[in-house]
Amino acid sequence: MKRAFLLGNTASDIEMKQTPSGKDYGLFAVYVKGAGDEDERYTVEVWGNYAKALCDKIHKGDKVYVEGELHTFKVEDRRYVNIVAQKVLKL
């Protein structure tokens, strides 16, 4: 398992979704300062009641610390990075 630790700003509010089996989860983006002037964008997933609780606390533009599992996948020659978060702290 690859662990990820991010410190950045949220690019969006948490968007709540539901799997076909009825499990709640939320998605939001975090921008992290990269080399030079370029920011790196990561998609963050949070699951269950934790996702619901964060909806009221985390909003677009907030500075956050995210800790979780790093997942990468490829779709048509494009690489995506996704973080499944176990901890999200608003700073």
Side-chain angles (χ1 to χ4, degrees):
M1 167 187 3
K2 296 179 186 176
R3 299 289 298 166
F5 305 91
L6 302 177
L7 183 61
N9 291 64
T10 56
S12 62
D13 287 347
I14 297 175
E15 179 184 356
M16 288 302 297
K17 296 188 175 208
Q18 199 171 62
T19 67
S21 64
K23 293 182 181 178
D24 293 319
Y25 69 101
L27 295 173
F28 66 100
V30 173
Y31 281 100
V32 176
K33 289 282 183 205
D37 292 333
E38 292 190 30
D39 290 341
E40 297 176 2
R41 182 184 186 277
Y42 295 90
T43 300
V44 178
E45 291 179 23
V46 286
W47 286 85
N49 291 332
Y50 192 48
K52 291 179 186 177
L54 286 176
C55 275
D56 296 331
K57 297 178 179 140
I58 306 293
H59 301 287
K60 182 178 180 178
D62 287 343
K63 187 174 223 38
V64 293
Y65 168 80
V66 176
E67 186 176 321
E69 295 178 26
L70 179 70
H71 296 266
T72 59
F73 57 97
K74 195 173 182 182
V75 177
E76 296 181 10
D77 296 335
R78 193 162 176 201
R79 187 174 157 262
Y80 294 90
V81 176
N82 200 32
I83 310 296
V84 178
Q86 279 83 44
K87 182 189 284 186
V88 179
L89 300 175
K90 181 177 177 178
L91 305 175

